[in-house]
């Protein structure tokens, strides 16, 4: 899909919002506003229905439902005036509240689709900033008007509903932005829409002229809703619900945002000390809540980092197929082994023929089965490694010649047992070279590279002796 339809739609949305704002206080203003808004709502339904997968359709159906709820809420008063039965504002309150909740559900669903198992860090960061934003909203937009609104519960609810509905939108947008995944043009349109809505709801209280405030609110709200729907029209709108396949990376500015959220309540208490005891308690509780969110967030981040470090450390030292030590880790184990330990070098007999004939899946099954048998045949303190291909090594820590021969004999028997895979049985043998350190002879000390070469040469001697046997270096 090209971007041309999107740009044409956005241009039309700006023009419609401008006309609606200019005519907001005239008799034709309602016709412009409701006509344009109805077209936006219908387009939201069409775009949601066009989604091919049900999981991608759900958040956009929430968006469309929220738009129709807001449209219905806006229409209650003019329709009531038209029929001569103006309401008391309760119907508008219910519909607008439901619209905010539907918007929040749409954003939350998008974030869950994107983040998957990586949603928790985004939730904690969102809650931290939302708590801080709630404090600011309470101090600036709710607390100064609450005493005047206390005599009228409905008016009090309408006073609180808009700001805290914006908190719901802010939380949803932060959840989407903080979630891992692509953040392209569709995500940007979503953010712009939320900023316009929040700015309209909270900013009009600072406009002294009621007529001008009505004009600004009408135009900006219509534009915000149109931009929200345009995110579904964007060619890359799939990014909002596409699952992330990589672990999230933390933007350098994100810890600073969390720090600002943590300091919001203490800063307000410091700057304005004339709060009533109840409000001071609320701000103190908010400080505790934001602190807990930040502590939990960074504790989770540290634990996640530790898990990743353990995983990387394991991957660096182990063979990915069998889980045995790799060649580099074997060298470290040899370095740490005491003099007098023994090294067995093993090479499978007949493995290449089975691998070529039965395929790599059967070959992998044989390698894994042999690895399990090697681990079972030695002590927990011994080390087993896969050197590559069908070559293995076993370090018998502190075990002398007689013990090493006994282990080699057992390995010859165990490896030769058939391996079952996909209804067939496969048999391979093994040739073993044995090399041991001589603690009483400084010239042949316990040197890993020397022992590995000696055991390798002994293994080839066992091959020349007829395979399926062991040879001493």
């Amino acid at each position: 899909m090209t971007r041309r339809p999107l740009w044409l739609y956005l241009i039309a949305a700006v023009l419609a919002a401008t006309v609606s704002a200019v005519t907001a206080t005239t008799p034709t203003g309602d016709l412009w506003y409701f006509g344009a808004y109805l077209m936006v709502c219908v387009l939201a339904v069409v775009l949601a229905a066009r989604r091919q997968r049900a999981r991608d359709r759900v958040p956009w159906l929430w968006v469309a439902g929220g738009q129709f709820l807001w449209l219905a809420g806006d229409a209650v008063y003019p329709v009531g005036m038209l029929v001569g039965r103006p309401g008391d504002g309760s119907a508008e309150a219910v519909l607008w509240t439901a619209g905010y909740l539907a918007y929040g559900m749409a954003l939350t669903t998008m974030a869950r689709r994107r983040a998957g198992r990586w949603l928790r860090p985004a939730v904690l960061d969102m809650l931290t900033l939302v708590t801080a934003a709630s404090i600011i909203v309470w101090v600036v937009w709710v607390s100064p008007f609450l005493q005047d609104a206390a005599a009228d519960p409905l008016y009090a609810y309408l006073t609180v509903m808009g700001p805290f509905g914006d908190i719901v939108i802010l939380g949803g947008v932060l959840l989407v932005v903080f979630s891992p995944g692509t953040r392209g043009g569709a995500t940007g349109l979503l953010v712009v829409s939320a900023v316009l809505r929040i700015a309209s709801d909270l900013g009009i209280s600072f406009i002294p002229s009621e007529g001008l405030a009505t004009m600004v609110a009408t135009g900006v709200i219509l534009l915000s809703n149109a931009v929200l729907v345009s995110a579904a029209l964007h060619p890359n709108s799939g990014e909002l619900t596409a699952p992330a396949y990589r672990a999230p990376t933390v933007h350098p500015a994100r810890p600073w945002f969390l720090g600002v959220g943590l300091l919001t309540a203490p800063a307000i208490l410091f700057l304005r000390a004339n709060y009533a005891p109840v409000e001071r308690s609320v701000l103190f509780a908010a400080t505790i809540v934001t602190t807990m969110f930040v502590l939990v967030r960074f504790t989770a981040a540290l634990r996640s980092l530790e898990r990743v470090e353990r995983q990387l450390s394991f991957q660096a030292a182990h063979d990915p197929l069998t889980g045995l030590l790799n060649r580099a880790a074997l060298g470290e184990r040899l370095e740490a082994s005491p003099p007098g330990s023994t090294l067995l070098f093993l090479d499978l007999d007949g493995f290449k023929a089975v691998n070529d004939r039965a395929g790599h899946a059967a070959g992998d099954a044989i390698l894994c089965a042999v690895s399990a048998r090697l681990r079972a045949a030695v002590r927990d303190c011994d080390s087993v490694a896969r050197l590559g291909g069908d070559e293995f090594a076993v370090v018998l820590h502190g075990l002398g010649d007689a013990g090493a021969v006994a282990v080699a004999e057992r390995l010859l028997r165990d490896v030769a047992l058939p391996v079952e895979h996909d209804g067939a049985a496969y048999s391979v043998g093994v040739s073993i070279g044995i090399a041991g350190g001589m603690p009483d002879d400084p010239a042949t000390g316990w040197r890993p590279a020397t022992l590995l070469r000696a055991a390798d040469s002994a293994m080839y001697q066992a091959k020349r002796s007829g395979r399926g046997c062991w040879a001493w270096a």
Side-chain angles (χ1 to χ4, degrees):
M1 181 186 296
T2 65
R3 297 176 185 269
R4 185 176 179 182
L6 173 64
W7 284 112
L8 292 176
Y9 169 77
L10 288 175
I11 292 171
V14 172
L15 292 175
T18 303
V19 173
S20 296
V22 172
T23 61
T25 56
T26 67
T28 60
D30 287 344
L31 293 177
W32 271 106
Y33 177 80
F34 287 109
Y37 198 180
L38 181 61
M39 294 178 63
V40 169
C41 294
V42 171
L43 180 61
V45 174
V46 171
L47 293 174
R50 287 176 57 185
R51 301 283 156 174
Q52 295 181 352
R53 293 181 296 185
R55 70 174 189 177
D56 296 335
R57 197 178 302 128
V58 170
W60 295 111
L61 288 175
W62 278 113
V63 169
Q67 294 300 311
F68 273 107
L69 287 168
W70 276 337
L71 176 62
D74 292 344
V76 168
Y77 177 75
V79 170
M81 294 296 293
L82 187 64
V83 299
R85 298 180 60 183
D88 59 356
S90 57
E92 294 96 314
V94 171
L95 292 169
W96 287 334
T97 301
Y100 281 113
L101 295 177
Y103 196 172
M105 281 297 300
L107 297 171
T108 303
T109 306
M110 291 177 186
R112 291 183 62 186
R113 296 282 191 273
R114 285 162 58 100
R117 62 190 179 94
W118 293 303
L119 183 62
R120 184 183 178 187
V123 171
L124 290 172
D125 290 352
M126 178 273 291
L127 289 175
T128 302
L129 294 180
V130 162
T131 303
S134 299
I135 296 170
I136 296 174
V137 167
W138 177 270
V139 170
V140 178
W141 283 277
V142 177
S143 180
F145 307 102
L146 203 57
Q147 186 174 359
D148 296 335
D152 186 350
L154 180 59
Y155 178 67
Y157 177 77
L158 291 173
T159 302
V160 174
M161 180 203 63
F164 283 101
D166 294 330
I167 292 296
V168 172
I169 296 176
L170 175 65
V173 169
L174 290 175
L175 202 55
V176 172
V177 172
F178 288 160
S179 299
T182 304
R183 302 181 186 93
T187 306
L189 289 172
L190 204 68
V191 173
V192 170
S193 170
V195 170
L196 289 173
R197 181 81 194 196
I198 295 171
S200 172
D201 287 349
L202 301 181
I204 59 173
S205 61
F206 296 103
I207 299 177
S209 170
E210 183 177 349
L212 180 60
T214 302
M215 294 172 62
V216 171
T218 301
V220 174
I221 287 176
L222 179 58
L223 182 60
S224 168
N225 296 330
V227 172
L228 172 61
V229 175
S230 73
L233 194 60
H234 195 281
N236 298 327
S237 61
E239 72 185 41
L240 295 169
T241 53
Y245 296 104
R246 292 187 304 171
T249 56
V250 178
H251 192 276
R254 198 149 152 187
W256 293 97
F257 289 144
L258 297 180
V260 171
L262 183 61
L263 293 174
T264 299
I268 291 175
L269 280 173
F270 177 77
L271 294 174
R272 297 179 62 180
N274 59 337
Y275 280 110
V278 174
E279 289 186 309
R280 293 177 66 86
S281 300
V282 170
L283 290 173
F284 180 70
T287 303
I288 296 176
V289 170
T290 52
T291 302
M292 292 300 298
F293 285 146
V294 171
L295 290 177
V296 172
R297 171 67 173 97
F298 281 101
T299 300
L302 289 175
R303 288 181 177 176
S304 177
L305 180 62
E306 290 173 352
R307 286 194 298 269
V308 171
E309 289 179 345
R310 287 195 298 267
Q311 183 179 4
L312 291 176
S313 177
F314 182 87
Q315 292 174 349
H318 292 79
D319 173 60
L321 175 63
T322 63
L324 299 179
L325 298 174
N326 57 23
R327 184 181 289 270
L330 176 68
E332 295 177 358
R333 297 296 177 91
L334 286 172
E335 290 281 2
S337 295
S341 300
T342 307
L343 173 65
L344 308 183
F345 195 108
L346 299 84
D347 187 90
L348 300 184
D349 300 326
F351 173 78
K352 185 178 185 301
V354 173
N355 193 57
D356 292 343
R357 183 179 70 255
H360 292 294
D364 290 347
I366 292 173
L367 292 175
C368 291
V370 169
S371 300
R373 293 170 184 178
L374 295 181
R375 279 193 294 256
V378 300
R379 303 165 299 174
D380 291 340
C381 64
D382 296 328
S383 302
V384 182
R386 181 188 177 202
L387 303 180
D390 58 350
E391 294 182 341
F392 298 86
V394 177
V395 181
L396 303 173
H397 299 281
L399 195 63
D401 297 355
V405 170
V407 171
E409 292 285 356
R410 180 179 178 182
L411 293 179
L412 291 174
R413 295 192 302 270
D414 291 352
V415 172
L417 296 174
V419 176
E420 299 286 340
H421 173 71
D422 201 17
Y426 304 97
S427 296
V428 295
V430 64
S431 298
I432 304 176
I434 307 175
M438 304 297 181
D440 298 329
D441 185 358
T444 58
W446 183 249
R447 293 191 297 272
T450 303
L451 282 170
L452 198 58
R453 285 195 298 270
D456 188 17
S457 299
M459 183 271 296
Y460 281 107
Q461 181 182 340
K463 292 275 190 185
R464 292 190 293 270
S465 299
R467 303 174 184 268
C469 62
W470 58 267
W472 196 273

